[in-house]
Each structure stands twice: as structure tokens, then as C-alpha cells.
Amino acid sequence: MSSQAVTLADVAVEAGVHPSTVSRVLSRPQLIGEPTRTAVHAAIHKLVYTPNRAARQLAGGRVGAIGVLVPDITNPFFAHVVRSVQQGCRRNGLTMLLADTDQREADELSEARALAGSVDGFVVCSPVAATQQWLQVVGTAPLVFVNRRANGVASVALDQQAIIELGVTHLRAAGHRSIAVVRGPHSYWSSRERDRVVRRLPGLVTYGPVRPDFEAGIALATDLMRSNVTGVLAFNDVQALGIVAGYRAAGRSVPRDLSVVGSDDIADAAMSDPPLTTVAAPVQQLGDAAFDLLARLLAGAIERPEITLPVTLTVRASTLGRSSTSSTNSIATKGNHR
Amino acid sequence: MSSQAVTLADVAVEAGVHPSTVSRVLSRPQLIGEPTRTAVHAAIHKLVYTPNRAARQLAGGRVGAIGVLVPDITNPFFAHVVRSVQQGCRRNGLTMLLADTDQREADELSEARALAGSVDGFVVCSPVAATQQWLQVVGTAPLVFVNRRANGVASVALDQQAIIELGVTHLRAAGHRSIAVVRGPHSYWSSRERDRVVRRLPGLVTYGPVRPDFEAGIALATDLMRSNVTGVLAFNDVQALGIVAGYRAAGRSVPRDLSVVGSDDIADAAMSDPPLTTVAAPVQQLGDAAFDLLARLLAGAIERPEITLPVTLTVRASTLGRSSTSSTNSIATKGNHR
DNA sequence: CTGTTAGCGCCTTCAT
DNA sequence: ATGAAGGCGCTAACAG
């Protein structure tokens, strides 16, 4: 029961009005007279009334909650997205139900199914299940994909082409001739998208698919050391840092033996040894945009835009010729905005 | 509406029984006959019936959800706790409602109040509000504190005494005579607890309170450089990394000019430059213990244990005399178990 | 503008 | 062992 003793009815009594009047004050304030409205608000405040979500939902209204799914909350990238979505929720008085699929693709839809019916809409980060499945699970509830494009689904994603181009161009400019691009899991849209870009660019070697985590990066380092690759664009920062760690563990040096470019620009990138050159993603914007999109859909918007966010290159020591002092200054280059 | 077309009534029709029978199959299976039970299960499966949480809750049953509050989800420490709590939820078919208070102490209780009534219980990380307030908000719902001890509230926390002792002892053993301990925000239980320990230890300087984030650490570095302190135990890793960054930005070196010990052992600690010596917290265990505790309370347990988890020291380059090669090996020392 | 009347889907006494 | 009835707290048509 918790402290859920105060009901709408109590407030009604306190304010001397009918329950439905109180209900209206909460949902369509403009439809009631100024005096009663104030009285009701006073009563609400006095009794510390908190609406019962369950009842509200059951009665057919909005739930006042959205579901957010992430593959791995301990990945700083997703943590930031989640935080800005949460901020949006707070500002709009919504509750956030979070589910971490723990990278287990099979759990993605089941988690969603469990949440469906308890939320007004979904923000899903890097989903892997088929669009069809998703649409079926969420039914008519608004759905926003983050970092995945799909027909008929609103989405906000990073400019994958720019990520590849900025990274590769930078490495080329630094004089590298044998450049590797690490592919991510094929289940990721971003990975498939990058593959398409890479295919159009001549003279690149690809590795992987390699999981976008630290351990996989370490393992990949071994392969890289056996090759003649001198510059690599990792799938993301965490993986890039793994590559760096793998090199260090083997007594090799970055950037002397290998120039490494990451992707995301998580906090660690700037604090690592050496600081990591990376294609920075606007995480705050990502989350904000995702929330705004969902909010608009919840409000009844019918268009489902596919938003592409630009990325920028942040150059740090991991791609500088020698063991130069780490330049804290980031040389930001605007990516292609579509 | 989503795909929530299938109701308990539909299942009842399909199975040719009364709705309440279906309800019982779901809650007290042992109370109904074998044949009908199977029939009902078949119908449930066939129609892909998913119980409506709202209705279930409104009718007085369990919600099947728990609320988790964290000060900042982008802090890896909390992200890990959240993840293991979520894992527990998945295993037990529960939903997790997450609220990030964004370090805004004022929002802590209001967020909780909004969630109360929508959840069966709470796991709250590093809460700052008064125990009394918390008990009032959650009412009779089970409550578990993480990283805070409070009378009458079940909790799981780190051994703060061991954290201080391990850190200071290590610095002393390394020959440091002027050692600083950075205090965290006084609103944190862990900080107050550490203060008590520090007070009993002679010859320590204290700084702060200093916010446990990167920027605050950078700012603190300036103060540290002006002092004669040669070894510092930061409030946590993120802050410690800030101190390191501050030194580097000022052209100073860690560990040459200052030995730094962090606390938590987040992933970044091992990847930073130099790798950070830190008092490692068993984050996975923290989350697991918190969930288990809550689960037990939900199941009707009445005791409210105060669990203390041991910490270990992980020695890395940030406290090694010179710019020695970073030893990836961590020298783990058991902390005092209480 | 505000009161009245029905349920939303489920669980929980009661009966049977 | 199963059916019947009532209501959880709220919103949504309707009246008035």
C-alpha cells in the first residue's frame, strides 16, 4: 500500500467538489473555473496527493511512463543517452522504465513485451530485432529507435558515413597507407551501415565483426600486431581502448606502432593512456532528440522523422606521430550533416 | 492500447472456465485441478496472454516492479549496480523503474514519491534524504539502501573504514608523510563515515568536501599543487582521475609529483594515464546483494540486515615511485571484513 | 462549468 | 475445486 492512502476522492472531499472535478483539474485545467481550481490545488497540496498510476492507466488514460531499452547500461554511451532521456521525463512528469538487455539479443523483444502495456511509448537503443517484430510488440504505441534506421519507425542516429570518413581521412592525412576498419556485430544497424560506406572506399582492410567491448579489443590487438596495419578505426571507444591495452600489454606502443581512432568520445577517451583520438558523438543531443521525438509522437504527431546527428573528430595523442605531449585541446572538425 | 487486446476474460472463454479460475491459475496454481489448469495454460499460451500490470496492481496484488534510484547513471559505479539489479529483476520476472536524481538532492524524495505506488519496493543508491522521510514515502514497501546505513532500513554498503585504512596504509608504506584524504559531500553517508575514520587516524590532512566528479577533481588539483601533500586518497575514482588530469594539465606528473589513490575501481581506473591505484569495490556483489535483500523483503522477511562488503586494494602506476611501466597485475589485499 | 454514471482488468472475499 | 459479485482509483463519456 505504501503511503498511497490519499486518493482523488479524499482530495475531492477536502476541496468540497466532485471527484471528477479533481480529475479534470489534473488533466484539463482550462476546463474548470478559476476559484474551484485553486481550491482543488490547495487540497492536493495539503494532502500531498499523488495520483495512482495504475488506476490512471486502467481507466484508459495515459500511463505517464515510457520504456527505455539499452543493450548495456554500463556502456557510458548508453548511460548518457539514458540520462538525457530521463531528464526529459522529469521535465514532463514521466516515469522511465529501464530494461538492460545485457547484450542478449534474445531478451530484447521479451523485455519489450513485458513493458508494453505499462508504458506509453518506447525509446530503444541499438535494437537488433526485426522491425516487423518491434512494430508488433509495441502495437500502436509510439516507438523511437536510437542508432538504428528502420522503415516506418521514427529514429535518431549518428551519421555513420561521416564517422568512417572522418576517421579514415584523418588517418590518411597522418600518412597511413595500411588502414583497418573494425566492423561491429552484424546485428547492429550502425555496423551494417558502416560496412556499406567502407565498401565504397578503396584501400581499406576490415576486421571483424568484433564485439564492441574492452576484452574483444584486447583480443583484436593480437591480430592487428600480426598484420602490417598502422592505423585503425575501431567500432567504438571501448573497443579502441581495448586495442590500446592489448598493445601495451604486448609491449607495443600506441601511437608508435599503431594509430588508433575510436568512436563516441566517452569520458574515458580523454583520460586514457594515450588519450584517444575519436569521432565524437553528441550523446546529450542523441538522448534529447530521442525524447523530444517520442514526446511529439505521444502528443499525436504522425510524421516519423529519421533524424541524423552530425559527428566531429577529436584528435588526441593516439594518432599523433610520436609520444607527443597529450594535447588536451580537441581539434573539432564538422562532419557531414545530411 | 498496444497489443494489449488479450485479457484474462478472453483466456477464460478460450479455456471454457470462469475468469476467476484463470486468475487463480496465475496466482495460486495449487488451488485448482490438474485438468483445468492445463487447459488454462494452453489457452494462455495460445492467445499469448500477458497480464495487465495496472489492473493487477489496482486490484491489490503485487505490481511486479521495483524502483531504483541513483544519483547519476553515467557514473560507472552506479551503472554497474543498476545492471546487476536489473539482472536480478529479469531472473525474477520483475520490471525495473529507474530514476536518476541527477545529483539534485531535492528531487530524490519527489522522484521516490512519484514511483511509490507503482512499485513493490525500492533500491536506493547513496540517498541523502533523512531516514524518516524515506520511511514515510515508501510506507510499508520494502526499502534497501545502497551505500548508506540507516536505522531500521536494510542496507548494503562498503566497508568505509577499510577504504580509508587500505588507501592510507598503502601511501604510508610508499613513504609518504604528507597525506591528504579528500572528503566527499557531507550529505553522503559514506563521506560522513569516512570522516569518522579519518578523525581517529593521526597525521592526515583533509580537503573538501569536494564533489565526486571529474571537474571537481581538476579544480582540487590546483589546491593540492599549492600544498606540500605528496599522496592523496580521493573520494572516488572519477574524482581521482580529475586530480590526475589537473596535474597533467598543469605540466605536473602523477605519480612523480603526487601519488593518487582512487576508490571504486571503475573500468577507467585501469585504462587511465597512469593507471590508477584504487580501493576496489565489488560492484557486482553490491547490486546482487541489494537485489537479493529486496527480494527477501518482498517475500516477507522481517529482518533488515546491514550488509557490509569488503574492499580490496588494487595497486597501479599512480602510486608507484617513478614512471615505472604500468603493472597490469593488481596486488589485491583483503580489506577488513566486519 | 460541474455532477453523474460506467466501466478499465484483475484479485479476493464469499458462496456453491 | 470452481462460479459469483464487489471494488481498487481513476478517466471518460454523458447529462445538467
Side-chain angles (χ1 to χ4, degrees), chain B:
Chain B
M1 289 303 157
S2 65
S3 60
Q4 184 69 44
V6 185
T7 81
L8 189 150
D10 298 329
V11 177
V13 172
E14 173 74 23
V17 296
H18 194 274
S20 39
T21 303
V22 178
S23 176
R24 275 188 272 260
V25 172
L26 265 35
S27 44
R28 257 88 47 91
Q30 63 279 31
L31 294 192
I32 46 166
E34 167 58 33
T36 40
R37 197 193 321 170
T38 344
V40 170
H41 273 131
I44 288 178
H45 197 77
K46 179 182 176 190
L47 302 186
V48 193
Y49 165 70
T50 309
N52 181 314
R53 288 178 181 284
R56 179 172 282 183
Q57 171 178 10
L58 193 54
R62 281 280 169 71
V63 187
I66 68 171
V68 177
L69 265 71
V70 295
D72 177 12
I73 189 62
T74 66
N75 181 326
F77 178 78
F78 295 122
H80 275 90
V81 172
V82 166
R83 185 172 63 172
S84 46
V85 169
Q86 150 89 39
Q87 288 171 347
C89 284
R90 196 210 327 277
R91 277 196 297 272
N92 294 61
L94 297 176
T95 295
M96 181 177 78
L97 310 216
L98 178 73
D100 183 328
T101 60
D102 211 16
Q103 315 242 40
R104 228 166 296 121
E105 309 185 352
D107 289 338
E108 188 179 293
L109 286 173
S110 61
E111 291 277 6
R113 202 146 15 217
L115 257 42
S118 304
V119 298
D120 293 324
F122 282 94
V123 169
V124 189
C125 297
S126 307
V128 296
T131 306
Q132 207 47 49
Q133 308 253 20
W134 267 106
L135 290 176
Q136 187 180 330
V137 168
V138 304
T140 61
L143 173 66
V144 173
F145 279 171
V146 172
N147 231 16
R148 155 138 173 216
R149 192 126 295 158
N151 251 325
V153 179
S155 65
V156 37
L158 299 175
D159 186 340
Q160 302 297 329
Q161 181 176 343
I163 291 174
I164 297 290
E165 289 177 354
L166 283 175
V168 169
T169 302
H170 172 66
L171 287 171
R172 286 233 168 94
H176 293 280
R177 305 221 32 196
S178 182
I179 298 173
V181 173
V182 185
R183 304 173 62 204
H186 192 255
S187 48
Y188 289 179
W189 167 83
S190 58
S191 183
R192 296 194 298 273
E193 197 67 8
R194 291 186 194 182
D195 286 349
R196 291 175 43 188
V197 177
V198 169
R199 217 171 290 131
R200 290 201 302 265
L201 262 37
L204 294 177
V205 227
T206 60
Y207 276 80
V210 175
R211 272 183 299 114
D213 57 42
F214 196 69
E215 288 69 27
I218 292 178
L220 175 63
T222 311
D223 294 341
L224 254 20
M225 289 184 292
R226 277 203 275 265
S227 73
N228 63 342
V229 166
T230 62
V232 61
L233 172 59
F235 187 69
N236 72 355
D237 285 346
V238 179
Q239 188 190 72
L241 292 172
I243 295 175
V244 173
Y247 262 66
R248 190 165 58 195
R252 308 277 195 115
S253 154
V254 171
R256 198 190 333 255
D257 299 317
L258 181 75
S259 281
V260 179
V261 178
S263 170
D264 285 353
D265 196 18
I266 59 180
D268 317 50
M271 311 189 302
S272 70
D273 172 22
L276 188 69
T277 290
T278 186
V279 182
V283 279
Q284 174 85 33
Q285 284 179 51
L286 250 190
D288 287 350
F291 180 84
D292 286 351
L293 239 177
L294 185 57
R296 219 171 309 147
L297 290 175
L298 288 172
I302 54 167
E303 13 109 44
R304 321 233 157 140
E306 300 190 338
I307 299 176
T308 298
L309 260 31
V311 293
T312 57
L313 181 70
T314 300
V315 177
R316 297 202 185 91
S318 72
T319 55
L320 295 186
R322 339 244 98 230
S323 62
S324 63
T325 55
S326 58
S327 80
T328 305
N329 299 330
S330 63
I331 303 167
T333 309
K334 273 302 191 60
N336 297 336
H337 307 201
R338 284 227 186 88

Side-chain angles (χ1 to χ4, degrees), chain A residues 199-214:
Chain A
R199 218 171 289 132
R200 291 201 301 264
L201 263 38
L204 294 176
V205 229
T206 60
Y207 276 80
V210 175
R211 272 182 300 113
D213 57 42
F214 196 69

Side-chain angles (χ1 to χ4, degrees), chain A residues 45-65:
Chain A
H45 198 78
K46 179 181 175 190
L47 269 36
V48 194
Y49 165 69
T50 309
N52 181 314
R53 288 178 181 286
R56 182 172 279 184
Q57 171 178 10
L58 194 54
R62 284 280 168 69
V63 186

Side-chain angles (χ1 to χ4, degrees), chain A residues 8 20 23 49 56 59:
Chain A
L8 190 150
S20 42
S23 176
Y49 165 69
R56 182 172 279 184

